[in-house]
Amino acid sequence: MFKRSLLPLLAATVATSLGLAACSAPGSKDGEQVVNLYTARHYDSDKALYERFTKETGIRINLIEGKPDELVARIKAEGENSPADLFITADAGSLWRAQDAGLFQPVTSEALAARVPANLREPEGNWYGFTRRARIVAYDPAKVKPEEVDDYAKLAGPRFKGKICVRSSDSVYNLSLVGALIEAWGPEKTGEWVKGIVANMARPPEGGDRDQIRAVSAGVCEVAITNSYYYIRMATGDDAKDKAITQKVSLAFPSLDGQGAHVNISGGGVLRHSPNKGNAIKLLEFFASADSQRHISLHNNEFPASPDVATPAPVDAYAKFKAHPMNVAAFARRQPQAQSLMSAAGWR
Ligand code: FE
């Protein structure tokens, strides 16, 4: 009955966000195939993907959009009557939260195994990545030498006292980065690093990643910690002001223990009570297809997950970096530990 009460909402969401005919239930009806996609991605460019999936498979997508934590809370509240088939979001940390809440079921598929490198998926098959993003730095090349920012460890040293801009510790991006350091270094050394970053902050954390990049150009700090696609979007997008900023601010890919930059994913998993499991797997496979990876890379400036998918221009100009081979699930599950180290250090 709970399922029924959701129907108008589902129909309204689909009608407004996709412009598709809003009808029928979250399950198959009259032989019609459907899949209920709960997504924290909210890009106009994704609509073209959904339409292509329906055209190719005949499976209609019911779309529920929301913030990651809101969707997790909603699926949890819906319980075993949840119509949710597939949950898609950015950052392995957000996927881990859904897994930790018991929302996923492990799935295996030849296509997913072939399309998604082993380190970019949860080992039991609870979730899979289809694009990559690096958490790296943007810096002022007039003040900072590239070799001063080629290693995450260096960011916490006295060289950068009062020179670093970074967003708050409630950002899952930062939790995942610190989680990766814990995985590599253990909590003690990482705790020292976190304290060093707090000591090096040019100002108390405020704003998002793009605001940190803008602050470098404004002379507020010399180095900003940012996800790669924000910088690439500013450098290659339509905003002339942002473009001018990136001409004065350079991008660097620091290395973790010489093994490469910290890499995260956009990805998704099939939900435990999925009423249309087969269709959910098909949609996840579709996201992981070469065409979809290319499409998402082009429109959201992330990097494809599969090594055989060439990064499209203009993102390709930034794609030639070494990525750390750490499994995304290994740092994702370190979030609670990361949060406590950051809180203890006063990273607000
Ligand atoms: Fe983002």
Side-chain angles (χ1 to χ4, degrees):
M1 305 322 97
F2 188 35
K3 238 179 198 175
R4 267 169 215 278
S5 67
L6 264 173
L7 288 186
L9 187 53
L10 275 165
T13 312
V14 171
T16 52
S17 58
L18 269 181
L20 302 178
C23 58
S24 113
S28 303
K29 192 183 172 188
D30 304 329
E32 190 197 26
Q33 290 293 314
V34 299
V35 62
N36 301 310
L37 172 63
Y38 283 46
T39 179
R41 291 176 52 84
H42 40 260
Y43 305 108
D44 285 346
S45 58
D46 280 7
K47 286 176 198 165
L49 278 182
Y50 304 150
E51 280 160 14
R52 191 154 57 82
F53 175 75
T54 300
K55 218 173 148 191
E56 281 176 16
T57 63
I59 301 166
R60 188 167 56 82
I61 298 176
N62 283 322
L63 192 63
I64 302 288
E65 293 175 293
K67 292 186 178 141
D69 291 343
E70 286 167 11
L71 290 175
V72 165
R74 179 169 170 170
I75 298 164
K76 215 167 155 181
E78 287 167 354
E80 57 184 55
N81 290 321
S82 176
D85 290 308
L86 186 65
F87 175 51
I88 297 286
T89 190
D91 205 286
S94 292
L95 290 161
W96 176 83
R97 286 179 200 175
Q99 183 187 351
D100 192 49
L103 302 189
F104 288 131
Q105 62 174 303
V107 298
T108 50
S109 115
E110 266 177 44
L112 289 172
R115 302 303 313 146
V116 182
N119 71 310
L120 301 180
R121 50 180 141 106
E122 199 279 325
E124 307 295 320
N126 280 288
W127 40 272
Y128 293 81
F130 41 77
T131 50
R132 298 178 299 144
R133 61 265 300 279
R135 191 147 187 78
I136 49 176
V137 298
Y139 68 97
D140 184 341
K143 299 170 186 159
V144 179
K145 296 189 202 92
E147 61 269 28
E148 291 176 312
V149 286
D150 64 2
D151 191 311
Y152 291 98
K154 293 181 184 175
L155 304 177
R159 156 68 181 89
F160 290 115
K161 189 145 191 77
K163 305 293 185 198
I164 289 185
C165 282
V166 62
R167 70 199 291 174
S168 68
S169 68
D170 56 19
S171 159
V172 72
Y173 305 155
N174 282 337
L175 292 169
S176 287
L177 171 61
V178 174
L181 301 184
I182 296 172
E183 182 68 17
W185 296 340
E188 250 171 71
K189 184 176 168 185
T190 306
E192 291 307 310
W193 184 88
V194 166
K195 277 186 214 157
I197 294 293
V198 172
N200 287 351
M201 285 179 188
R203 59 179 184 186
E206 61 174 64
D209 283 359
R210 268 170 293 197
D211 299 309
Q212 317 310 320
I213 298 169
R214 291 176 187 130
V216 171
S217 130
V220 174
C221 39
E222 295 183 2
V223 176
I225 297 177
T226 180
N227 279 356
S228 49
Y229 55 89
Y230 289 115
Y231 180 94
I232 299 169
R233 197 178 299 158
M234 288 170 73
T236 63
D238 297 329
D239 190 312
K241 243 170 122 184
D242 275 348
K243 206 170 247 180
I245 284 173
T246 57
Q247 275 151 15
K248 291 193 295 169
V249 179
S250 301
L251 198 63
F253 292 78
S255 190
L256 174 54
D257 295 336
Q259 293 188 70
H262 165 63
V263 165
N264 211 310
I265 53 166
S266 283
V270 175
L271 294 151
R272 188 160 148 223
H273 302 294
S274 163
N276 308 288
K277 182 180 168 186
N279 294 348
I281 294 173
K282 276 187 194 149
L283 182 52
L284 192 53
E285 289 171 346
F286 174 81
F287 276 114
S289 69
D291 280 349
S292 297
Q293 288 188 33
R294 212 175 290 119
H295 177 97
I296 296 167
S297 174
L298 183 63
H299 293 282
N300 196 38
N301 308 125
E302 293 182 64
F303 308 111
S306 306
D308 65 341
V309 181
T311 308
V315 186
D316 61 341
Y318 306 91
K320 292 167 202 83
F321 67 95
K322 187 175 171 187
H324 196 288
M326 185 183 292
N327 186 287
V328 286
F331 64 76
R333 63 161 192 258
R334 298 281 190 183
Q335 275 185 90
Q337 245 183 319
Q339 184 74 75
S340 56
L341 288 183
M342 293 162 95
S343 298
W347 187 328
R348 86 171 192 209

